[in-house]
Amino acid sequence: MHLPAFLIFALLGCGLLVAGCRKSASREVVVYTSVDQVYAEPILRSFEQESGIRTRAVYDVEATKTTGLATRLVAEKKAPRADVFWNNEFANTLLLRRQGMLAPYRSPAAEDLPGQYRDAGNYWAGMGGRARVLLVNTEKLKPADYPASMNDLLSTKWPGASVGMANPLFGTTATHAAALYATMGREKARNFFSKVKARGVRTVDGNSVVRDQVASGQLAWGVTDTDDALGAVERGAPVAIVVPDQQLAGAFVIPGTVAMIAGAPHPREAKELVDYLLAKETEDELIAAGGCQFSLRGKAAPPQWLKKPLKPLTVELTDVQEQMPRAMEELREIFSR
Amino acid sequence: MNTRAQPVAVYRRIGARWLGGGGSVLALAVLLGPYIALGVAVASGHYGEGHGVRQAFPYSGRQLLLLAYSLLFSGAVAGGALLLGVGCALKLRSMPRLGSIFLAALPVLIAVPVYLHGLAWTACLASVAGGLPLRGWWGSGWVEVMALLPLATGIALVGLRAVDREQVEAASLHQSDFRVFRRIELPLVMPMLLAGFGLLFLISLLDYNIPSLFGVNVYAMEIFTGYSLDGNPTAAVVTALPLIVAAAAVMMLGLARARLAASTPLFRRASVYRRECWPVWLRIAQWIALALLLAQAVVPSAGMLVMTGAARAWAQAMMSARIEIGTTAAVAGMVLLLGLPLALLAAGPLSRADGAGKVWWALLCLPFAMPAPLTGIGAIHLSAFGSRLPFDTGPFLPVLVNLARFVPVAAFACYAWQRRVDPGLLEAARLYQRTPLRGLLDVRLPLYLPGLLLAGVLLLTLTAGELGATLLVAQPGAPTLMIRLYNLLHYGASRDVAALCLTLMAGAGIAGALALWGIKARPRFGGMANEG
């Protein structure tokens, strides 16, 4: 009695699915991006309108802890589906470069980028940067008591439980930790993090959780990224941003990166999208939207919320990437207990 | 006797057996396909020669200690949730109408991702006068117990309802209700509770989001620290192995016991419950458990309603997520359509008492115990085999990973229901059916319908809430609702997150209501007594 109805539904479903499975003949480009959807989507829509190329995006999610898109790209190595990898940091891009996952492309739009933000072999180029900053709850601390340095994570001036950072085994906090390994040296960096752990500084789920807990007063201050920090400021939370170590080594700036995938199914369209993303105008658009805060082009003016130009931590991105395995191994021993 | 008809019937029976066996193998191929493909990729050197194994093995003392803590923690969470669940179930059993409403609303209660329960409870307790901070193991344990409480209550309630009331009533003529419960009812329902414990234990053991939210390290997180560094799943699989073994063992023990669970055939089920006379302490404990269940129902939903604000905000959030809602609905619909026949096929061999039946139980437990991202990676490797096909296999992958992950759940639900069907009816159908197909369509499917509807609701709810595997295989340009939800969570758009959660809950509520309607309406075409 119900067989015909069931068969009709099954055939309809399969028909719809197969219709969706047709290999597209129109011009399109597939981009994998870890830039938040709310920032990336308008830029990709603008590209679609200007170029007439249909853009299909896959977005990443911080909560999965697996750096999903890089993992996916590695798994898809034999049959790539992505054309462009637009990453909001650099560590995974450099990892993919090392694993032979990227294709070289010298984009004319990247010509005005400083050398440290371009791969020597043209496998990737930088696009906008975020800095690691200290976010302070202004109801919990007076300006005189604001922290000013990453070293303040070790200061007894603030109880350990009132200070927070994201788990240093994941995301930009992991990259920041590797940068400290590269600049401080292995011994000093390991001691630094051992003391952070011993002091009871709270390690939470992610930079957005640091932001939320500082904003709600559960933490007096914490280390986070500029995009998260500015989000709290824009929503009117009682917070202030402190750029750390401006009298010392400088604040760590994490450049976003754009790369073309080796064996990309749509190479021509991929190049057009790479050119579009690396253009100065697109970087400005992303900064204006809040997806990143710093232009990687040297002559750019500092953002309005920053009163004077930021002093960046001087470190080679390749050094940071090389330090990652050792830093993670040791940090796992320290923090994952 | 018709001498010609006899061989035909034999051939049909053999054909049906082969068909059933082939179908079960097909179900197994779908369930295990991604893991086999992952194994082949690793063995063929896709991720380098043995590097991942050397990286992850042997396990360090720290890792083993972390594993021990995680096992203890998950055991405590599962035990706590189940204990409270039994308390709630005893109370709800004495209020049959409320119990039925609860079971119908269960999909709504489990539709909200556990991570959001954590955020809701943190915000709720932080806003209490003075602020009650939720931190560390206790905070994580509290949120997990509360998040699992509705499911634990559902399992306990279903188990208690399956106990033969006639035995209980007969015993209660001579003993107090509490003693009858302890000596008769509890042993009868214990296999079901053990199965429930296994399921809750597994959910807790594989979850790293909630512990991570409260700054607690668990072994499940250990799997991903190395994985996020180089994207090599070999090390992740090797690291996950103790967890998979522990989880599969608990599932095997728990679910295998479920075969012995009390299961009163529906035709013998009492429809009226006598109100038991419990000791005072147990009555108080039941009310406390029920109050906690109510709090768990109210805190996340009320929090989300408050955060969403006006209906216009909800409509706006729905509008901006229409692609994601459409994709989720399409994937969940396909999983439902393909998953139910597969679940029915996979449920068949579960009733076998021989060695093959035990192997089948073990194979169905395996996907339960696998970390979700490995399912996604396996599906990618599986799709690489189909890259020469004239059509894009990509859109199948989100359906495949959800089938692989959740068909076993649906199969166990079908199996649990099938045990309650009057075997006399099935035997009569087998003797008098014109063909096995007619017997299936006219008798078995209507009899199995409530189990299938329950399995369907589970498939829909679990698929809509899946993230770990779907993220890795989501179609370009077609993200699911959960991907958007977590993306917005990172951005800090709590109003949109709340609105989308309400959408998920509404979807689960509609699915639950339709299933309930289907069960109630069944006598119209099933020709059976309504057992509610």
Side-chain angles (χ1 to χ4, degrees):
Chain A
M1 177 170 58
H2 305 295
L3 184 64
F6 178 80
L7 282 178
I8 287 168
F9 275 117
L11 287 173
L12 197 66
C14 291
L16 283 173
L17 200 66
V18 170
C21 296
R22 278 181 306 157
K23 286 185 175 170
S24 174
S26 64
R27 288 190 79 197
E28 68 168 30
V29 61
V30 174
V31 55
Y32 286 9
T33 178
S34 59
V35 175
D36 279 352
Q37 190 173 354
V38 282
Y39 305 127
E41 206 165 46
I43 289 175
L44 296 174
R45 291 289 86 81
S46 302
F47 170 71
E48 267 188 346
Q49 281 167 7
E50 282 185 27
S51 65
I53 297 170
R54 186 179 167 219
T55 309
R56 297 201 296 146
V58 174
Y59 298 98
D60 208 350
V61 169
E62 187 192 40
T64 53
K65 302 279 178 229
T66 56
T67 50
L69 294 182
T71 307
R72 180 170 174 167
L73 283 166
V74 174
E76 290 175 349
K77 188 161 65 177
K78 282 185 182 161
R81 305 186 73 206
D83 299 302
V84 174
F85 183 42
W86 177 15
N87 191 2
N88 67 355
E89 53 88 53
F90 63 91
N92 276 307
T93 310
L94 267 61
L95 176 74
L96 293 173
R97 153 88 164 99
R98 213 175 57 192
Q99 295 185 341
M101 298 290 308
L102 305 181
Y105 170 57
R106 185 168 181 166
S107 168
E111 293 296 334
D112 59 342
L113 278 170
Q116 74 261 36
Y117 297 127
R118 271 189 298 165
D119 180 62
N122 297 310
Y123 283 92
W124 58 266
M127 184 216 178
R130 297 176 295 157
R132 298 283 294 164
V133 291
L134 311 178
L135 187 68
V136 181
N137 184 301
T138 52
E139 290 174 351
K140 294 268 174 184
L141 297 178
K142 293 176 194 156
D145 295 328
Y146 286 0
S149 164
M150 283 297 292
N151 291 326
D152 286 335
L153 283 170
L154 304 182
S155 170
T156 50
K157 189 173 171 185
W158 303 272
S162 70
V163 181
M165 59 188 260
N167 190 333
L169 297 169
F170 300 104
T172 50
T173 314
T175 315
H176 192 183
L180 294 181
Y181 264 75
T183 52
M184 293 165 85
R186 184 186 160 192
E187 280 299 313
K188 275 190 178 176
R190 189 174 57 195
N191 284 340
F192 174 80
F193 283 109
S194 297
K195 287 176 184 168
V196 167
K197 172 71 179 175
R199 216 172 84 69
V201 168
R202 287 176 59 197
T203 48
V204 297
D205 194 35
N207 291 309
S208 56
V209 179
V210 172
R211 171 201 66 202
D212 293 342
Q213 296 204 351
V214 171
S216 66
Q218 293 175 65
L219 292 172
W221 64 274
V223 186
T224 189
D225 297 337
T226 40
D227 57 332
D228 293 306
L230 279 169
V233 172
E234 280 163 16
R235 278 185 278 277
V239 291
I241 299 170
V242 176
V243 182
D245 298 315
Q246 293 304 282
Q247 310 302 322
L248 301 167
F252 182 47
V253 174
I254 304 162
T257 46
V258 177
M260 217 173 100
I261 301 299
H266 312 96
R268 256 184 60 201
E269 290 81 0
K271 284 177 183 170
E272 285 190 48
L273 178 60
V274 169
D275 291 343
Y276 185 86
L277 292 175
L278 291 177
K280 184 182 178 304
E281 296 73 24
T282 311
E283 190 183 60
D284 291 343
E285 196 182 332
L286 189 63
I287 291 171
C292 66
Q293 285 67 46
F294 301 97
S295 170
L296 299 182
R297 290 163 169 88
K299 293 167 212 156
Q304 278 184 343
W305 58 272
L306 196 65
K307 292 182 181 86
K308 51 187 177 183
L310 173 140
K311 179 185 173 186
L313 180 72
T314 310
V315 60
E316 284 292 323
L317 302 185
T318 46
D319 288 347
V320 176
Q321 219 282 323
E322 276 169 21
Q323 288 295 327
M324 282 291 270
R326 185 187 294 276
M328 289 308 105
E329 192 56 42
E330 293 191 353
L331 291 177
R332 190 146 66 158
E333 290 294 324
I334 296 168
F335 285 93
S336 187
R337 285 181 180 275
Chain B
M1 186 180 284
N2 186 346
T3 49
R4 264 186 64 201
Q6 207 171 22
V8 172
V10 170
Y11 293 141
R12 274 180 184 162
R13 195 171 301 167
I14 291 170
R17 194 166 290 175
W18 274 96
L19 197 67
S24 302
V25 170
L26 174 73
L28 202 61
V30 171
L31 299 188
L32 300 184
Y35 310 113
I36 293 167
L38 178 60
V40 170
V42 168
S44 64
H46 184 95
Y47 296 100
E49 300 290 333
H51 170 65
V53 179
R54 285 195 299 276
Q55 199 181 346
F57 195 82
Y59 307 113
S60 67
R62 177 190 63 79
Q63 285 177 311
L64 293 175
L65 195 65
L66 196 62
L67 178 65
Y69 271 116
S70 301
L71 292 172
L72 279 175
F73 174 71
S74 298
V77 164
L82 203 58
L83 207 62
L84 286 172
V86 171
C88 290
L90 284 174
K91 194 74 218 159
L92 287 172
R93 189 179 59 168
S94 66
M95 301 182 273
R97 188 172 289 271
L98 192 62
S100 296
I101 292 171
F102 165 77
L103 284 178
L106 191 58
V108 181
L109 297 177
I110 59 174
V112 180
V114 181
Y115 189 79
L116 293 167
H117 284 295
L119 293 178
W121 275 107
T122 310
C124 172
L125 292 183
S127 63
V128 175
L132 285 172
L134 267 182
R135 283 179 197 165
W137 291 101
W138 290 107
S140 182
W142 168 265
V143 171
E144 285 200 17
V145 166
M146 293 304 283
L148 294 176
L149 182 55
L151 186 58
T153 305
I155 291 166
L157 189 59
V158 169
L160 283 171
R161 281 185 167 191
V163 171
D164 186 355
R165 291 301 297 173
E166 286 181 13
Q167 288 184 41
V168 176
E169 292 303 323
S172 63
L173 292 173
H174 307 283
Q175 298 286 343
S176 70
D177 282 337
F178 181 59
R179 202 171 157 80
V180 170
F181 172 71
R182 211 158 46 90
R183 301 290 294 275
I184 295 177
E185 236 179 325
L186 202 55
L188 283 172
V189 83
M190 191 53 85
M192 184 72 175
L193 294 184
L194 282 175
F197 175 86
L199 184 64
L200 301 173
F201 176 81
L202 186 72
I203 295 171
S204 168
L205 192 65
L206 293 179
D207 176 51
Y208 54 82
N209 276 316
I210 289 295
S212 174
L213 188 64
F214 293 97
V216 169
N217 293 305
V218 288
Y219 195 82
M221 179 79 92
E222 188 75 7
I223 300 165
F224 299 107
T225 51
Y227 192 29
S228 63
L229 195 62
D230 59 6
N232 183 348
T234 320
V237 172
V238 175
T239 310
L241 214 54
L243 204 68
I244 294 169
V245 170
V250 172
M251 284 305 294
M252 276 288 291
L253 287 174
L255 286 172
R257 300 287 297 178
R259 302 167 84 170
L260 310 172
S263 184
T264 311
L266 291 166
F267 62 94
R268 284 188 58 190
R269 222 181 91 186
S271 57
V272 179
Y273 286 91
R274 180 180 58 82
R275 202 165 278 237
E276 289 99 340
C277 186
W278 301 115
V280 176
W281 67 267
L282 188 55
R283 262 185 284 163
I284 294 171
Q286 286 176 16
W287 278 114
I288 290 172
L290 200 62
L292 286 173
L293 180 65
L294 193 67
Q296 174 56 27
V298 168
V299 166
S301 17
M304 277 159 210
L305 275 171
V306 169
M307 269 196 272
T308 305
R312 202 172 148 193
W314 187 11
Q316 271 175 351
M318 292 253 299
M319 197 59 199
S320 62
R322 61 191 182 282
I323 292 174
E324 289 83 354
I325 292 171
T327 306
T328 306
V331 171
M334 285 307 295
V335 169
L336 181 73
L337 211 61
L338 299 172
L340 283 182
L342 287 174
L344 209 54
L345 289 167
L350 286 175
S351 56
R352 289 175 66 164
D354 56 2
K358 284 177 186 159
V359 171
W360 195 259
W361 276 84
L363 289 174
L364 281 199
C365 286
L366 189 68
F368 265 135
M370 288 298 270
L374 295 182
T375 312
I377 295 290
I380 292 173
H381 287 297
L382 195 62
S383 79
F385 294 121
S387 58
R388 289 195 192 94
L389 294 172
F391 59 88
D392 184 5
T393 54
F396 286 109
L397 296 186
V399 177
L400 176 70
V401 293
N402 283 291
L403 286 174
R405 293 203 68 207
F406 303 132
V407 162
V409 184
F412 286 122
C414 288
Y415 167 71
W417 184 265
Q418 284 173 17
R419 289 188 67 225
R420 307 183 68 190
V421 171
D422 182 358
L425 290 176
L426 296 178
E427 190 56 23
R430 197 179 65 78
L431 288 173
Y432 297 112
Q433 66 197 10
R434 274 190 295 157
T435 63
L437 185 64
R438 295 281 4 143
L440 176 74
L441 294 174
D442 294 343
V443 181
R444 282 192 210 102
L445 274 184
L447 283 171
Y448 294 159
L449 193 65
L452 280 171
L453 288 171
L454 171 69
V457 173
L458 283 171
L459 282 175
L460 283 176
T461 312
L462 293 171
T463 301
E466 213 288 327
L467 177 71
T470 307
L471 178 71
L472 291 166
V473 293
Q475 268 294 90
T480 61
L481 196 55
M482 287 308 279
I483 295 176
R484 185 176 180 87
L485 204 145
Y486 273 93
N487 218 303
L488 288 169
L489 204 60
H490 177 236
Y491 173 61
S494 49
R495 202 174 72 168
D496 288 357
V497 170
L500 294 183
C501 270
L502 285 177
T503 308
L504 265 177
M505 290 167 82
I510 291 168
L514 284 176
L516 195 67
W517 173 81
I519 293 170
K520 295 276 182 199
R522 189 168 61 111
R524 277 188 285 154
F525 49 84
M528 292 180 57
N530 183 6
E531 63 280 335

